């Protein structure tokens, strides 16, 4: 599986592959992942403790990140507001944005009933699903080794969920739906990278989530009861926006093969937040299944790096 990249010379100049930058890139990736875990923890807390509806929580995340994006575009962006609306594939941008909103809402719904470590273990299937769907959708077929790794990864979920009679919470379906929406979102992101600047794609995600999600948030709005709830609600966009910026910066400092495996650090951060905030720890089945899924994902990264190296050698 090869990642689709843009041919923007400016973007290429901004990327770095210096070995000295890799420790900093890894640190930024770990920090970004920790912020994403804090975002999910806050969403779970706002729903389970304060009883705020998921539509309100999700919309607050998009609104905060959209406002942050609009404040930062004049400082770091080279595009005007009118240029941010210019896309060569409007329908695909809208579909991608709806998939991101669906991923957020479905994930937040699952978090109200499942432990943090359970939801992230299922989300870890997304790269495996992307590898599986990249063939029929993007023409990027995987070999038998990666197909085997994908099958092993799915078996890890069976181990993690331990689907004996009555032991699996129905909210697992929300988590699986969120994972599938996220996988399709990633595939569309890769496809759109060849046509629209990254800032345009990011803008549409926040714009659609904010303005099309507003009626749903208004219809179910529950006024937060205290200052802590208001602060947590307002922080969702900051956690998501800052995490996304660090995430992108990490990929600019080092190649994907160097930083992508550290995505799985999120399992540790989710376990940590789950214990500190909710006094929850993963069971042995979840840990064993997560280990299988993580190992499968890392193997896919390894095979992708070998494929890319072979392609560059033969070029």
């Amino acid at each position: 599986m090869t990642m689709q990249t843009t041919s923007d010379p400016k973007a290429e100049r901004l990327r770095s592959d210096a070995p000295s930058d890799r420790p900093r890139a890894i640190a930024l990736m770990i920090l970004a992942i920790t912020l994403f875990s804090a975002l999910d923890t806050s969403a779970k807390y706002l729903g389970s403790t304060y009883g705020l509806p998921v539509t309100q929580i999700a919309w607050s995340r998009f609104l905060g990140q959209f406002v942050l994006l609009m404040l930062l575009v004049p400082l770091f962006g080279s595009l005007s507001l009118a240029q941010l609306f210019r896309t060569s594939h409007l329908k695909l941008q809208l579909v991608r944005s709806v998939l991101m909103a669906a991923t957020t809402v479905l994930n937040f719904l699952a978090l109200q009933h499942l432990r943090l470590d359970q939801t992230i273990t299922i989300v870890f299937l997304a790269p495996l699903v992307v590898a599986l769907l990249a063939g029929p959708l993007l023409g990027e077929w995987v070999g038998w080794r990666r197909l085997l790794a994908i099958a092993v990864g799915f078996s890890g979920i069976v181990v993690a969920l331990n689907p004996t009679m009555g032991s699996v919470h129905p909210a697992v379906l929300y988590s699986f739906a969120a994972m599938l929406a996220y996988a399709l979102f990633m595939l569309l992101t890769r496809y759109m990278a060849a046509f629209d600047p990254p800032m345009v794609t990011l803008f549409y995600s926040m714009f659609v989530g904010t303005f099309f999600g507003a009626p749903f948030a208004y219809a179910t709005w529950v006024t937060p009861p205290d200052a802590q709830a208001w602060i947590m609600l307002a922080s969702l966009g900051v956690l998501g926006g800052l995490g996304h910026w660090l995430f992108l910066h990490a990929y600019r400092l080092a190649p994907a093969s160097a930083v992508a495996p550290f995505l799985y650090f999120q399992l540790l951060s989710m376990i940590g937040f789950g214990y500190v905030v909710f006094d929850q720890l993963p069971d042995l089945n979840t840990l064993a299944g997560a280990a299988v899924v993580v190992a499968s994902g890392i193997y896919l990264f390894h095979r992708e790096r070998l494929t890319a190296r072979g392609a560059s050698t033969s070029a």
Side-chain angles (χ1 to χ4, degrees), residues 4-15 78-79 192-200:
Q4 202 166 1
T5 59
T6 64
S7 57
D8 184 359
K10 182 178 179 181
E12 291 298 328
R13 289 196 301 270
L14 290 174
R15 294 191 179 98
S78 58
L79 299 177
M192 293 301 298
F195 302 100
D196 291 339
M199 189 62 72
V200 170

Side-chain angles (χ1 to χ4, degrees), residues 20 27 38 40 49 106 116 118 123 126 139 143 245 271-272 277 304-305 312:
S20 59
D40 281 357
T49 302
L106 290 167
L116 292 168
Q118 290 175 312
V123 168
W245 183 82
I271 291 174
V277 179
E304 182 175 342
R305 181 171 59 179
S312 63

